[in-house]
Amino acid sequence: MNAHRIHRVAKLTGLSKDVIRVWERRYGLVKPSRSSNRYREYSDEEVALLRFVKNQMEQGATIGGLAAEGHDSLVARMRVATPVSEAEQKPHDRLLDELIGSLDPMDKAGFERRLNGAVAVIPFEEAVQRILLPLQRRIGELWHEGHLNIAVEHYVTKIIQQKLFSVMNQLPVNEFGPRILIACPEGETHEIGAQAVAYIAATKGCHVYYLGPNLPYSDLVNFCEKISPDLVLLSLTELKQEAATLHHIKQLEQLATRWSVAVGGQGARAMEDRLHDTKIELLDDLTALHSRLMMTLSTHRLAARH
Ligand code: B12
C-alpha cells in the first residue's frame, strides 16, 4: 500500500489541496495518517474515495449528502462501482472455476465449503458483486449452452438465493423507512437481479417488500394499493418482442401515474429509448440504484419531520 502526500493526492484526484483539507476537517471523509514530520499521508483507498466522491458530485450529488451517508457506506459503494483490475479479479475467477469444477462430478460438501469460505472473508456487499452474481451468470450460461443439467443449476441458484435472504433476514426491519416494493413483472422469471436490489435497499434502511419473480400486473397494482409504496422497483432481464414491450410500458405508465416506478436490469436498459417520454425511471446500474434510494430516504425523512 502506498502513502501519498497531499500535493500528489491533489494531482491524482484533480481536487485542490484546500478542498481535500476541508473534506477531512468538516466532513471526516478521509482520515490521513501523519508522517514522522507531521505531513498528511493518504492511502491508495483514500485517494480512490476522494476520486469517487468528486465523480459523484459531478453527477449531481452534494458533499453534504455524501458525507451524511457515512465513510463506511461510501467506501463500500466505491468498491462496488470501481471496476476490478484483472489482478484483483483473478482470485475470484479462480474461485468460480473451482466452484464450477466441483459440480461435475457433484461434490456438494466441497462446493459449499469453498463458497462459504470465500463469502465469509470479504464484506458481503462485495461478495454479492464479485462472487454471487458472477456465479449466477456463469451457471446460467452453462445451462443455456447445454453444459449443465437444470437440476444442478437450480441447486446453485437456490444456494445463492439463500445467502442473499439469510443476510437480508438478519437486517432489522425498518418499519418506519420508505416502503420499497421490489419484484419482477409478469413473464420475468430471472430473479437474482431483483433479489440483489432488495438486499441493497434493506441495507440502506428501507422497508422492503420483496415479491419475487413473475408478478401479474393486476396483483402488483392491488398490492400497491394496500401498501402505498414510496417506490416500486422492477427488475427486467429478458428482452421482449416489440408488441410485448409496448404493452408492458403502457401498464407501467399507468402504475407510474400513482406511484414512483423505476426499472432496471438488462431488459430495462434495452427499452431505454421508449422510456424517455414516460414517468418510468430507468436505473442504469447499482450505482444509480444507490443514488435513487438515498434520494428516497432523504425525502422520506423530510416528510416525517413535517
Ligand atoms: C441465470 C440465467 C438463467 C437462470 C435463471 C435463474 C433464476 N431463477 O433467476 C436459468 C438457467 C433458470 C435461466 C432460464 C431461462 N433463461 Co436465462 N439467463 C441467465 C443468464 C445467464 C444470467 C441472468 C442473471 O441472472 N444475471 C444475474 C444478474 C444479477 O445480472 P444482470 O442480469 O446483469 O443484472 C445486473 C443489473 O442489470 C442489475 N439489475 C438487475 N435488475 C435490476 C433492477 C433494478 C431496479 C436495478 C436498479 C438494477 C437491476 O443488477 C445486476 C447487477 O450487476 C442470462 C445471460 C446473461 N449472461 O446475462 C440468461 C438470459 C437472460 N436467459 C434467457 C432466456 C431466454 C431464458 C429462458 C426463457 C430460456 C428458455 N427458453 O427456457 C429461461 C426461462 C427463465 C427461467 N427462470 O426459467 C436469455 C434472454 C434473451 C432475451 N431475449 O432477452 C438470456 C439473455 C440468455 C441468452 N443469451 O439468450 N436463465
Side-chain angles (χ1 to χ4, degrees):
M1 197 178 72
N2 300 305
H4 308 275
R5 295 261 181 88
I6 195 160
H7 63 275
R8 175 145 180 79
V9 178
K11 255 196 199 144
L12 290 169
T13 59
L15 295 164
S16 75
K17 290 191 267 184
D18 283 344
V19 166
I20 297 170
R21 287 194 204 97
V22 169
W23 285 5
E24 173 195 335
R25 272 201 309 269
R26 195 175 302 163
Y27 302 110
L29 269 186
V30 279
K31 296 182 184 76
S33 52
R34 296 280 177 162
S35 66
S36 51
N37 37 15
R38 305 284 305 147
Y39 287 122
R40 286 175 166 83
E41 285 189 333
Y42 299 81
S43 65
D44 290 332
E45 183 159 90
E46 282 175 320
V47 174
L49 181 62
L50 288 168
R51 247 198 234 122
F52 177 70
V53 167
K54 179 171 179 259
N55 183 274
Q56 290 292 300
M57 289 175 68
E58 283 162 2
Q59 290 175 35
T62 63
I63 184 66
L66 292 166
E69 187 183 329
H71 176 269
D72 292 352
S73 163
L74 277 176
V75 169
R77 195 146 69 87
M78 172 195 77
R79 285 193 188 135
V80 168
T82 313
V84 210
S85 69
E86 248 174 59
E88 278 173 318
Q89 187 54 38
K90 248 197 187 138
H92 299 308
D93 283 346
R94 208 174 309 129
L95 169 76
L96 293 178
D97 291 341
E98 285 171 11
L99 285 169
I100 285 160
S102 57
L103 294 171
D104 188 19
M106 185 76 171
D107 170 15
K108 182 176 181 291
F111 178 85
E112 289 175 22
R113 197 180 329 109
R114 277 193 185 92
L115 183 62
N116 293 345
V119 169
V121 294
I122 55 174
F124 191 69
E125 201 151 329
E126 220 177 311
V128 171
Q129 290 299 320
R130 313 275 188 247
I131 302 173
L132 298 179
L133 299 186
L135 178 62
Q136 176 75 80
R137 285 190 200 101
R138 292 264 291 258
I139 289 293
E141 274 156 16
L142 285 171
W143 174 75
H144 277 278
E145 290 157 6
H147 299 310
L148 194 85
N149 184 286
I150 195 71
V152 180
E153 177 280 327
H154 280 16
Y155 159 70
V156 177
T157 297
K158 287 301 157 204
I159 289 204
I160 296 170
Q161 292 183 329
Q162 278 164 22
K163 291 223 172 301
L164 281 162
F165 278 139
S166 71
V167 173
M168 227 173 116
N169 288 339
Q170 284 165 31
L171 296 168
V173 177
N174 185 1
E175 58 180 308
F176 302 111
R179 282 185 286 270
I180 314 282
L181 189 161
I182 298 153
C184 306
E186 188 156 6
E188 180 59 75
T189 47
H190 294 85
E191 188 181 354
I192 301 290
Q195 243 190 295
V197 167
Y199 160 73
I200 292 169
T203 61
K204 303 288 171 239
C206 298
H207 190 172
V208 172
Y209 293 81
Y210 179 65
L211 306 187
N214 200 14
L215 182 70
Y217 175 72
S218 56
D219 296 298
L220 174 60
V221 175
N222 270 338
F223 202 84
C224 285
E225 274 163 358
K226 282 200 181 93
I227 67 157
S228 274
D230 295 278
L231 180 63
V232 179
L233 288 173
L234 297 170
S235 172
L236 297 160
T237 300
E238 276 188 56
L239 281 62
K240 302 283 181 207
Q241 303 283 343
E242 177 83 359
T245 303
L246 290 177
H247 176 64
H248 197 52
I249 292 177
K250 232 183 194 164
Q251 290 184 323
L252 295 185
E253 270 195 280
Q254 282 280 325
L255 197 72
T257 59
R258 302 177 67 188
W259 299 284
S260 298
V261 177
V263 292
Q266 307 174 26
R269 285 196 297 274
M271 54 192 206
E272 180 173 12
D273 291 347
R274 306 233 175 245
L275 298 176
H276 286 319
D277 298 325
T278 72
K279 284 179 80 181
I280 308 161
E281 295 168 57
L282 172 67
L283 300 177
D284 269 331
D285 51 26
L286 298 183
T287 306
L289 168 71
H290 186 97
S291 309
R292 184 62 176 88
L293 290 174
M294 297 316 286
M295 203 176 103
T296 309
L297 281 158
S298 69
T299 316
H300 186 76
R301 262 185 230 122
L302 277 176
R305 265 189 231 146
H306 292 113

